[in-house]
């Protein structure tokens, strides 16, 4: 049976070797099965016929029924065009062709009545359609009640009569021939539960819808199927991993209790408590933890990390925390050292700029087990860094770490792979998280500590700069500090530097009485650090910087964030930058500066920032603007394989499909029950195809 769908398309009626080769090349489609899944990307409503008098310029494609009055060849210079004058009972109009004139001319006998389709345009006082689709009126098509599929195609294919209609013609034969071979891939019980129509019916409706309602149901079913198998694959990967890797049992809460009763500086939020509980369940389970903690900027991920470290330490293991930059590693170290000292726990910092002598001590104390918490940058990954017993590895701001680097962390404990906590402040829409991290467990800190005042965000144009300076001045007088951030200009490092240096100069001139710090990408790490520290200590009032301060830096007294050329930043970056303020008790502000003329997308980004502080809402808009592939910059997890489902629009279906996949695996982890035979067969099919593909490319 499977053989049918592997048939080469050249054997299809109306295709043949030459067209097949072109389709192979242009659409990357080789087999019946692949062509069958070349779904229409939209449908044209062919239920409506327009009268010539009703036409207007804002209409897209319209259908009219008209009688041919006269056909003439019009010459302009050395160019010919064919003009057909047609009429219905409400008026007259013209149809024009610039190409394929001879062929068209033969098809248009004066007096015949045709259905024409195309986009109307007004020339002078006459309506006209260029290169309309056309077909003679018959009893059948005059009263048809259907939606015409529109297939994506290419210029080269169109030149060989494989436009959308041409593809549709081929599809007719293919769908007819395929129906008896199409097997159901979703068990009846699930189809009933989620009210999904059968596979055969879906395939037929998706290509040749008989009514809108059925088309809707066909699309839903095919999207569900796609998500269902994607989720099944991810969930199975997770099950396999948990079975394969045992985890060190870290279940002692002695230190945690002591810290909680005597030292903790604030009440944890409920979300923090929940995430700690979720991680604790994993750490004591005997299975290796792989957990992603998503929490908006300022949601208190560091404290969650520290408490998990305490659990690991009371259970006899060590912990490391890896940050993407030296500044951040420093800040984590400074912050956590205070708590660790209270608890009498030894903690150290290891970065690229650690001195040799310091390193030696660190290496020794790690091996002896005396050093309990090691904080650092990529320097932690070096082979020479060996632990006595690394039980928990925490990675902050994960989007900067690659998979290979995570693997290096895993290798730091030969007996048990360390439990891994990945913390990210880049909110990922739930749909994407479910897909990209479907094999990780995800915890969300969806609550900010009490008493935070929401940051007020405004958008100002460059011409209002003086007013903005006035505002900066007032805030500094009140004792606050201010960030002014310039975009990285990717095309040119020199331009980049010039931009921020010009900014620095004009700021210094505008505020002669306030000391100003500057941090940019071309400064040495220690120079950066020095400037940063001056700002942290409050010695400087204004920090002029490129995006190096984007991640994690914490200066509670800084309450104003000015973002220059805000239209050049992506949404998640804007959100990250804004998250640098609003960390203290004072009202904080974010000012987005931009030029006056903005692209549509830039305007949506800036409006979104002004409207909301909710990282997830922002991430959803980002997903809609940029699409899933671009958002993650990734090919992983098969999100790019989706044919019909759309992560940015079909979240509800994804959720259902994930529930269904979970339910199936919970009842039947090996998929060995007879009722799940269709699932197993489909998975084998897909695997076989994956192999074929890797051979081709
Ligand atoms: P992020 O999640 O962005 O890494 P941090 O861990 O840096 O956030 O926390 C931001 C600030 O909030 C820190 O100053 C931290 O001490 C404080 N904080 C964390 N949790 C709480 C809480 N439950 N109540 C009050 N303040 C908190
Ligand atoms: Mg942080």
């Amino acid at each position: 049976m499977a053989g049918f769908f592997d048939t080469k398309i050249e054997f299809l009626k109306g295709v043949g070797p030459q067209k097949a080769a072109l389709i192979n090349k242009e659409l990357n489609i080789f087999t019946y099965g692949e062509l069958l899944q070349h779904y229409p990307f939209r449908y044209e409503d062919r239920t409506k016929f327009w009268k010539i008098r009703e036409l207007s310029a804002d209409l897209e494609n319209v259908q009219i029924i008209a009688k041919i009055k006269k056909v003439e060849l019009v010459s302009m210079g050395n160019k010919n065009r064919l003009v057909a004058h047609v009429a219905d009972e409400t008026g007259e109009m013209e149809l024009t062709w610039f190409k394929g004139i001879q062929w068209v001319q033969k098809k248009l006998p004066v007096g015949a009545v045709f259905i024409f389709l195309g986009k109307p345009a007004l020339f002078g006082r006459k309506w006209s359609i260029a290169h309309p689709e056309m077909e003679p009126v018959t009893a059948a098509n005059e009263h048809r009640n259907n939606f015409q599929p529109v297939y994506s195609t290419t210029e080269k294919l169109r030149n060989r009569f494989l436009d959308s209609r041409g593809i549709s013609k081929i599809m007719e034969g293919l769908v007819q021939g395929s129906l008896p071979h199409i097997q159901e891939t979703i068990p009846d019980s699930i189809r009933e539960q989620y009210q999904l129509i059968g596979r055969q019916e879906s395939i037929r409706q998706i290509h040749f819808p008989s009514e809108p309602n059925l088309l809707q149901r066909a699309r839903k079913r095919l999207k569900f199927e796609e998500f269902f198998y994607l989720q099944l694959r991810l969930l199975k990967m997770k099950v396999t991993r948990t079975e394969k890797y045992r985890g060190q049992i870290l279940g002692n809460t002695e230190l945690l209790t002591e810290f909680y009763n005597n030292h903790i500086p604030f009440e944890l939020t409920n979300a923090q408590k929940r995430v700690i509980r979720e991680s604790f369940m994993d750490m004591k389970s005997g299975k290796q933890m792989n957990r992603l903690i998503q929490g908006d900027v300022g949601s208190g991920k560091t404290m969650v990390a520290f408490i998990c470290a305490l659990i690991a330490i009371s259970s006899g293991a060590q912990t490391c925390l890896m940050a993407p930059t030296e500044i951040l590693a420093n800040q984590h170290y400074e912050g956590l050292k205070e708590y660790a000292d209270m608890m009498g726990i030894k903690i150290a910092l290891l970065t690229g700029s650690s001195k040799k002598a310091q390193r030696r001590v660190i290496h020794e104390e790690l091996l002896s087990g005396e050093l309990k918490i090691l904080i650092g940058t990529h320097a932690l990954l070096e082979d020479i860094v060996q632990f006595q017993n690394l039980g928990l590895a925490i990675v902050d701001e994960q989007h900067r770490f690659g998979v290979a680097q995570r693997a290096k962390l895993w290798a730091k404990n030969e007996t048990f792979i360390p439990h891994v906590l990945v913390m990210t402040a880049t909110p990922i829409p739930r749909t994407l998280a479910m897909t990209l991290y479907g094999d990780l467990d995800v915890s969300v800190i969806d609550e900010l500590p009490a008493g935070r005042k929401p940051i007020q965000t405004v958008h100002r144009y460059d011409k209002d700069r003086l007013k903005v300076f006035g505002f900066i001045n007032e805030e500094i007088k009140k004792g606050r500090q201010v960030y002014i951030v310039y975009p990285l200009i990717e095309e040119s490092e020199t331009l980049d530097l010039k931009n921020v240096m010009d900014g620095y100069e004009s700021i210094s001139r505008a505020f002669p009485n306030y000391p100003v710090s500057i941090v940019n990408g071309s400064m040495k790490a220690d120079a950066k650090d020095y400037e940063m520290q001056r700002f942290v200590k409050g010695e400087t009032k204004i920090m002029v910087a490129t995006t190096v301060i984007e991640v994690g830096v914490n200066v509670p007294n800084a309450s104003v964030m000015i973002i220059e050329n805000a239209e050049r930043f992506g949404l998640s970056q804007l959100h990250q930058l804004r998250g640098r303020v609003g960390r203290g008790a004072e009202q904080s502000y974010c000012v987005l500066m931009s030029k006056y003329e903005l692209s549509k997308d830039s305007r949506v980004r800036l409006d979104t920032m002004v409207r909301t502080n909710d990282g997830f809402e922002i991430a959803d808009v980002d997903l809609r603007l940029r699409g899933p592939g671009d958002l993650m910059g990734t090919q992983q997890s098969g999100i790019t394989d989706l044919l019909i489902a759309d992560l940015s629009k079909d979240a509800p279906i994804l959720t259902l499909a994930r529930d269904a996949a979970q339910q199936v695996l919970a009842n039947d982890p090996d998929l060995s029950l007879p009722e799940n035979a269709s699932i197993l067969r489909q998975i084998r099919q897909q695997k076989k195809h994956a192999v074929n593909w890797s051979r081709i490319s």
Side-chain angles (χ1 to χ4, degrees):
M1 280 286 165
F4 178 82
F5 292 107
D6 293 330
T7 315
K8 298 258 175 303
I9 51 172
E10 63 174 279
F11 301 111
L12 202 54
K13 187 166 159 263
V15 180
Q18 280 182 0
K19 279 188 179 171
L22 198 61
I23 295 174
N24 294 164
K25 190 151 159 279
E26 294 289 301
L27 299 178
N28 202 14
I29 285 173
F30 294 81
T31 63
Y32 282 15
E34 286 161 8
L35 186 58
L36 200 60
Q37 292 190 58
H38 186 59
Y39 301 135
F41 68 95
R42 66 184 174 86
Y43 298 84
E44 238 150 32
D45 186 351
R46 298 290 179 94
T47 54
K48 165 125 184 113
F49 292 97
W50 295 78
K51 297 293 176 205
I52 292 175
R53 204 177 49 207
E54 296 172 323
L55 296 182
S56 84
D58 50 3
L59 290 172
E60 285 305 313
N61 284 351
V62 295
Q63 292 185 110
I64 55 162
I65 297 180
K67 189 176 202 172
I68 298 168
K69 297 277 186 197
K70 186 170 112 187
V71 180
E72 60 179 341
L73 202 58
V74 181
S75 294
M76 269 232 307
N78 55 0
K79 290 231 167 76
N80 288 337
R81 80 193 134 101
L82 186 70
V83 178
H85 301 265
V86 303
D88 66 11
E89 68 275 17
T90 70
E92 288 191 11
M93 68 180 295
E94 290 178 2
L95 308 168
T96 51
W97 286 266
F98 304 93
K99 282 196 264 179
I101 288 175
Q102 287 187 338
W103 183 79
V104 175
Q105 204 165 11
K106 272 185 246 154
K107 301 220 155 193
L108 293 174
V110 170
V113 180
F114 272 71
I115 297 175
F116 296 102
L117 176 134
K119 181 167 171 48
L122 200 55
F123 285 103
R125 300 184 51 203
K126 221 167 203 157
W127 287 104
S128 162
I129 297 180
H131 286 252
E133 285 181 19
M134 55 194 198
E135 56 184 309
V137 170
T138 63
N141 62 20
E142 192 175 9
H143 299 291
R144 72 185 153 198
N145 177 30
N146 69 6
F147 285 76
Q148 198 75 20
V150 183
Y151 294 95
S152 68
T153 175
T154 68
E155 198 51 46
K156 281 193 181 134
L157 288 172
R158 251 180 241 122
N159 290 340
R160 300 292 307 276
F161 301 102
L162 288 170
D163 56 2
S164 178
R165 274 179 75 90
I167 294 177
S168 182
K169 278 240 167 61
I170 295 174
M171 208 61 94
E172 237 167 89
L174 178 62
V175 170
Q176 277 307 323
S178 297
L179 287 179
H181 299 277
I182 294 176
Q183 290 179 316
E184 186 49 68
T185 55
I186 299 182
D188 293 347
S189 59
I190 294 183
R191 283 208 294 124
E192 265 161 43
Q193 189 179 343
Y194 294 95
Q195 300 183 342
L196 304 169
I197 61 173
R199 189 155 209 277
Q200 265 186 25
E201 178 69 359
S202 306
I203 297 280
R204 188 167 55 190
Q205 289 293 334
I206 200 92
H207 289 292
F208 301 102
S210 59
E211 51 171 300
N213 173 41
L214 272 174
L215 171 61
Q216 221 41 47
R217 299 193 63 188
R219 287 173 62 80
K220 178 183 168 193
R221 183 236 138 87
L222 291 172
K223 288 174 178 186
F224 184 98
E225 175 179 327
E226 224 167 39
F227 281 142
F228 177 74
Y229 279 95
L230 181 62
Q231 291 302 323
L232 212 56
R233 203 163 72 214
L234 290 165
L235 290 169
K236 268 193 83 81
M237 254 161 69
K238 185 157 119 189
V239 171
T240 313
R241 198 195 52 227
T242 3
E243 277 167 3
K244 196 152 122 200
Y245 301 120
R246 282 183 313 136
Q248 184 167 185
I249 295 180
L250 304 177
N252 187 310
T253 55
E254 232 169 84
L255 288 174
L256 185 162
T257 312
E258 192 199 325
F259 181 68
Y260 203 83
N261 291 340
N262 305 318
H263 302 294
I264 196 163
F266 38 68
E267 182 61 23
L268 293 175
T269 63
N270 286 326
Q272 283 171 315
K273 287 182 194 167
R274 188 188 70 240
V275 171
I276 291 168
R277 209 160 38 234
E278 286 166 357
S279 309
F280 179 53
M281 290 302 176
D282 284 355
M283 289 166 69
K284 68 172 186 184
S285 70
K287 289 176 179 160
Q288 190 238 352
M289 168 169 76
N290 267 291
R291 186 169 284 281
L292 176 77
I293 298 184
Q294 275 198 66
D296 215 337
V297 278
S299 61
K301 293 183 289 293
T302 319
M303 183 51 79
V304 170
F306 182 70
I307 288 179
C308 291
L310 289 179
I311 296 170
I313 296 164
S314 10
S315 314
Q318 293 160 294
T319 298
C320 69
L321 193 166
M322 190 158 76
T325 64
E326 213 155 297
I327 293 178
L328 256 184
N330 259 309
Q331 198 155 57
H332 275 314
Y333 175 70
E334 297 295 335
L336 293 185
K337 184 166 171 23
E338 192 186 332
Y339 304 141
D341 285 351
M342 291 174 191
M343 301 288 296
I345 290 171
K346 197 150 199 180
I347 184 170
L349 175 71
L350 180 70
T351 67
S353 35
S354 301
K355 300 273 174 329
K356 233 181 175 170
Q358 291 171 322
R359 285 173 190 251
R360 205 169 44 234
V361 177
I362 288 174
H363 294 159
E364 276 166 20
E365 292 183 348
L366 275 180
L367 273 179
S368 74
E370 196 181 334
L371 184 54
K372 299 298 183 194
I373 304 180
L374 181 62
I375 296 184
T377 53
H378 289 75
L380 295 187
L381 295 173
E382 285 165 23
D383 290 335
I384 190 162
V385 181
Q386 295 288 333
F387 294 77
Q388 185 200 47
N389 175 18
L390 178 63
L392 173 66
I394 302 165
V395 180
D396 196 15
E397 311 294 352
Q398 85 101 30
H399 54 292
R400 306 215 169 174
F401 283 102
V403 177
Q405 290 164 328
R406 225 182 302 164
K408 278 200 155 180
L409 266 184
W410 285 26
K412 299 254 173 226
N413 187 331
E414 284 169 4
T415 323
F416 293 103
I417 290 178
H419 296 288
V420 177
L421 268 187
V422 173
M423 305 194 294
T424 174
T426 313
I428 302 163
R430 273 160 250 269
T431 52
L432 261 194
M434 263 191 254
T435 309
L436 283 172
Y437 302 115
D439 67 322
L440 297 188
D441 294 296
V442 180
S443 289
V444 183
I445 310 184
D446 50 5
E447 182 186 359
L448 292 180
R452 293 268 171 85
K453 295 197 183 79
I455 302 166
Q456 286 181 22
T457 303
V458 293
H459 174 197
R460 293 282 178 268
Y461 296 110
D462 292 339
K463 65 175 172 52
D464 303 323
R465 186 171 308 276
L466 277 183
K467 275 195 204 144
V468 174
F469 279 3
F471 173 69
I472 293 176
N473 196 25
E474 263 162 40
E475 288 298 301
I476 297 179
K477 269 201 224 146
K478 286 190 210 155
R480 316 278 179 268
Q481 288 165 281
V482 177
Y483 292 106
I484 303 180
V485 179
Y486 290 82
L488 278 174
I489 298 173
E490 278 174 21
E491 312 88 69
S492 153
E493 230 169 79
T494 7
L495 204 60
D496 185 24
L497 190 62
K498 181 179 178 311
N499 208 22
V500 63
M501 292 314 290
D502 286 355
Y504 176 70
E505 265 172 37
S506 79
I507 296 294
S508 303
R509 237 179 293 126
F511 300 98
N513 301 326
Y514 302 132
V516 179
S517 279
I518 177 163
V519 172
N520 69 60
S522 52
M523 285 160 68
K524 291 246 160 59
D526 47 351
K528 268 190 216 165
D529 204 46
Y530 173 78
E531 287 290 324
M532 201 62 224
Q533 287 308 329
R534 291 212 303 154
F535 188 67
V536 172
K537 288 185 202 138
E539 291 169 13
T540 52
K541 298 299 171 193
I542 300 176
M543 162 64 78
V544 174
T546 48
T547 48
V548 284
I549 61 152
E550 179 189 341
V551 182
V553 177
N554 194 11
V555 183
N557 192 50
S559 64
V560 180
M561 168 64 65
I562 313 281
I563 304 177
E564 293 283 350
N565 298 121
E567 75 276 10
R568 283 177 166 259
F569 290 84
L571 260 179
S572 74
Q573 221 180 1
L574 289 172
H575 182 61
Q576 287 288 318
L577 284 169
R578 178 169 62 182
R580 297 307 105 215
V581 298
R583 301 186 153 234
E586 309 304 334
Q587 175 62 55
S588 291
Y589 304 90
C590 175
V591 182
L592 307 169
M593 303 291 299
S594 84
K595 57 181 181 174
Y596 190 71
E597 305 257 293
L598 292 174
S599 71
K600 203 167 132 226
D601 279 9
S602 298
R603 196 165 288 282
V604 172
R605 288 199 297 269
L606 299 184
D607 289 351
T608 304
M609 289 295 293
V610 171
R611 187 184 70 236
T612 180
N613 278 308
D614 179 345
F616 283 102
E617 192 180 334
I618 290 170
D620 276 332
V621 175
D622 207 19
L623 177 62
R624 253 183 290 129
L625 288 180
R626 290 161 69 192
D630 196 31
L631 189 58
M632 300 311 295
T634 176
Q635 299 273 317
Q636 55 187 307
S637 302
I639 54 166
T640 45
D641 300 346
L642 294 174
L643 292 172
I644 183 165
D646 179 341
L647 283 169
S648 50
K649 296 190 189 119
D650 299 322
I653 302 180
L654 171 58
T655 310
L656 297 180
R658 181 155 174 106
D659 288 348
Q662 244 152 3
Q663 183 188 328
V664 166
L665 283 180
N667 292 335
D668 183 15
D670 313 322
L671 301 173
S672 53
L673 294 178
E675 70 208 53
N676 292 327
S678 57
I679 298 182
L680 209 54
R681 190 181 58 224
Q682 177 68 2
I683 289 178
R684 293 212 177 104
Q685 277 284 333
Q686 288 182 341
K687 275 207 183 119
K688 203 180 77 184
H689 261 114
V691 172
N692 284 346
W693 272 113
S694 64
R695 266 197 222 125
I696 289 165
S697 49

